[in-house]
Amino acid sequence: MKLVVNGTAHELVVEEDMPLLWVLRDVLGLTGTKYGCGVGQCGACTVHVGGEAVRSCVMPATAVEAPVTTIEGLSSDRSHPVQRMWLALQVPQCGYCQSGVIMAAAALLRSTPKPTDADVEAALGNICRCGTYARIREAMRALARA
Amino acid sequence: MPKLTRRSVVKLAAGSAAGLVLGFHLPPREARALETPNDFGSFLNAWLRIAPDDTVTVIVDRAEMGQGVYTALPMLLAEDLGCEWSRVRVVAAPADPVYRNVFLVKEMLSGGQPMGNTANWLVGKLARLFGQQVTGGSSSVRGAYKPLRIAGATARGMLIAAAARRWGVPESECRGEAGVVSHLGGERRLTYGALAAEAAGLRPPKRPNLKQPNEWRLIGQPLPRLDLPAKVDGSAGFGIDVRVQGMLFAAVAACPVFGGTLGRHDPARALAMPGVKAVLPLKDALAVLADNTWRAQQALAAVEIEWTDPPGPLVDSAAIEASLRAALDETGRIAEESGDVAKALAGSVRRLRADYEVPYLAHAAMEPINATARVMPDGVDLWIPTQAQEISAKAAAEAAGTSTDKVRVHTTYLGGGFGRRSEADIATQAVSIAKLAGAPVQVVWSRAEDMRHDFYRPAAACRLEAGLDADGRLLAWQQRLASPSILARIFPPATWIEPDGTAVEGAVKQPYAIANRRVSHTVRSFPVPVGFWRSVGHSYTAFFNECFIDEAAEAAGKDPLAFRLGLLGEAPRQRAVLELAAAKASWGTSLPPGRGRGIALHSSFGSHVALVAEVLVDATGLSVVRVVAAIDCGVIINPDTVAAQVEGSIVFGLTAALYGRISLEGGRVVEQGFDDYPMLKLSEMPVVELHMLESSELPGGVGEPVVPPVAPALCNAIFAATGKRIRRLPVTGQLTA
Ligand code: FES
Ligand code: FES
């Protein structure tokens, strides 16, 4: 199969049902995308497929038809507006969930540049065990104003 | 252990006078910090290397699990070193006795009470001998506050001495600031980097010159965290991200019944699957090794495993709860007593009594339990997101059949810890598997495995009785607690003379002045592992006590705030946070129907916290609208980190209070994921307002102290809104008609 990740095309031979998450992490070595539950409940594994936020642990790599962007490909220098705002407001704590949250946030802002709180809550159902929600909310409000 | 005689104490004292606090008597080269790369420059002490290019490397001996120690601890050292903050970088300390958590042991042995000089010294000595390198107990900043500033000031003294020598001038004419030593008016200047190699060879000054608080440039500033850039671009290395040449990926399943063992299993199907390298039986678990994590997980699922249950009955939640409730009929062991409770209760005009209970809880850190191990003839490498380096090293050594000094512990970032990662079960497991496999192995637990093989926050029950006089004054307080004991598992001697302190903390040493009080505890043990969970015993005693205080206020016909304040005459810091939180939350003003405010106060880990929660209960259910927090945590090192910990703790506390419950059936944990062990989400996040008191007291902890008052503030608010008392957690399911 062919998989385009962060602008690079890869020719891969993997099982038909192997989730994109593990292809990214264990085959391509892109460890920025995280494993939290493996069953679509937490959002730690969120990446973009064709610009849409997708939970990569429940998406077979062979079913991916559009280019994939991971946290490593969001920007080369942490310059994506979400990354910048995340640093400005010091959002992460342990940071483990944040790749997924940032990717979900970036996808939302692309489709809905001025999201309401309700839009944000609907799109960012990610679990953050450290409880960074107050700052995620603030950061998204600031981005929606920008 | 040699017997401590008076003479040997005196001898010890003389021998260690110079390095009393710091272990500076240990030349840094003896510390395994040497394992940090050489280009980090010269060692000034075990926490500090300075490179010729002026890069200051701070060796942080506590784990970064989101609480900000990779910033707060370097801030302390850099403050008194007087270096440029922009030149500071951090490496994780290896496992080494020099990095032991002396503070934590001292606090445990002293019960948090101030000690005399001799006792302080003796306990410190014992702590250094028998303590562990552990991140926990909200102790990192508290423990480092003095030592790391002294480490910085000592190094500054050595750098100044090196410059003074070179210039042939008195040290008193030189000063070190912003990474430069300068002489008098500043004509002569040398950077720290240029002096470090020479300074490293000098004797540390006997009396390091600590800055005065009015000279501080870093302490108290909301400096951005050093670890966050790597946490917004995916480059931060967690345990699960470790990649070692030639490594295999392992999935494991341990016997779902605690204490059970591996029985019959047929590896054939798994071995026939692509990429599978081995199926390895352990005593209590089965491991499948493959060339990637997913293949290992798939193959593990394909093995039919029979487990051998341990002897004895298989517990379930109903039996555990019944046993804990029954234990409340026993007096138990006295943890604290003053006055004559029985008499005061008998003589009171109004008596009230209530039983409370809480379930087991899992930690559920976002990063599932994992470790990567490599066993070589010359030693063991262990890459592990751990809160306990030395305990992990010991476990690894035992599993590999080698000595602890042959184990190199590489601490990665932790994707959450909350106490779970102070256990070394995964170190044992990963090293055992790597040894059997003859290859480096990364073991990553599935979420279900993580949930079902935790060391759980103990379930607990409590019976409270109070007596009021005719004026509604609280005369008597009797509290019986029942729970499993964490220390009985970890360090039994700590339970020989007194009840397990971690089981009764927060119930004892209450700030409220009540003349007659008794707190007792009964241990009930079940075959369910228990461990440290963010705020430990405080996580339930605050719920019991602060809800029951509300009940007492109601019985006295008084406002919950006024009732508490009336009991806080001797506790000015607690009074101050309570008054502040109440004022900021407009306590006492009226609210629309369905809404209610609840207040709670709790002191733990050296900090004092008051919360006012506001809830709305309507046809759609319960929502937490707003939480106002006031905290007095002494001197604040980094206010932004404090704020983040307060916000996060409120989420952690709400998650537990609203949803948290680990249940058992047939000896196994039922919950397997975030569907049956739910977490608070963004859509449920209340508005959080934080107010910090200015204080010049010693720093208090901030990682844990805000968790305990969350549940009682919430439940008291629910009572205010609905008239219903919540005496059992979680709240879920109790508010539907
Ligand atoms: S790992 Fe994909 S949703 Fe949790
Ligand atoms: S920052 Fe730790 S889980 Fe979100």
Side-chain angles (χ1 to χ4, degrees), chain A residues 15 17-19 22 25-26 31-32 34-36 41 78 83 90 93-94 96 125 129-130 133 135 137, chain B residues 66 225 229 231-233 240-241 243 274 293-295 363 446-447 640 644 647-648 674-675 680 682 685:
Chain A
E15 287 89 327
D17 51 347
M18 182 164 181
W22 297 111
R25 288 187 54 84
D26 290 0
T31 54
K34 297 298 189 249
Y35 164 65
Q41 292 167 353
R78 304 180 201 115
Q83 291 171 308
Q90 296 278 293
Q93 290 188 24
C94 83
Y96 193 81
R129 182 57 161 153
C130 296
Y133 302 125
R135 291 180 186 215
R137 182 183 283 158
Chain B
R225 277 175 46 184
K231 290 178 175 178
V232 302
D233 68 7
I240 195 175
D241 302 328
R243 294 293 179 262
T293 312
W294 182 73
R295 282 177 162 172
H363 296 81
S446 67
R447 174 56 55 191
D640 194 51
E647 294 155 12
F674 296 123
D675 51 347
L680 201 83
L682 179 64
M685 181 69 197

Side-chain angles (χ1 to χ4, degrees), chain A residues 33-44:
Chain A
T33 304
K34 297 298 189 249
Y35 164 65
C37 68
V39 290
Q41 292 167 353
C42 75

Side-chain angles (χ1 to χ4, degrees), chain A residues 21-22 33-46 54-59 96 126-127, chain B residues 366 447 674:
Chain A
L21 168 68
W22 297 111
T33 304
K34 297 298 189 249
Y35 164 65
C37 68
V39 290
Q41 292 167 353
C42 75
C45 62
T46 305
V54 163
R55 295 192 169 180
S56 64
C57 70
V58 286
M59 157 72 88
Y96 193 81
N126 304 50
I127 293 173
Chain B
M366 280 311 290
R447 174 56 55 191
F674 296 123

Side-chain angles (χ1 to χ4, degrees), chain A residues 48-97:
Chain A
H48 295 174
V49 175
E52 305 263 325
V54 163
R55 295 192 169 180
S56 64
C57 70
V58 286
M59 157 72 88
T62 52
V64 173
E65 281 168 359
V68 175
T69 306
T70 69
I71 185 77
E72 290 92 344
L74 192 60
S75 73
S76 59
D77 51 2
R78 304 180 201 115
S79 61
H80 187 281
V82 174
Q83 291 171 308
R84 295 223 305 256
M85 189 59 75
W86 249 237
L87 284 176
L89 296 190
Q90 296 278 293
V91 174
Q93 290 188 24
C94 83
Y96 193 81
C97 72

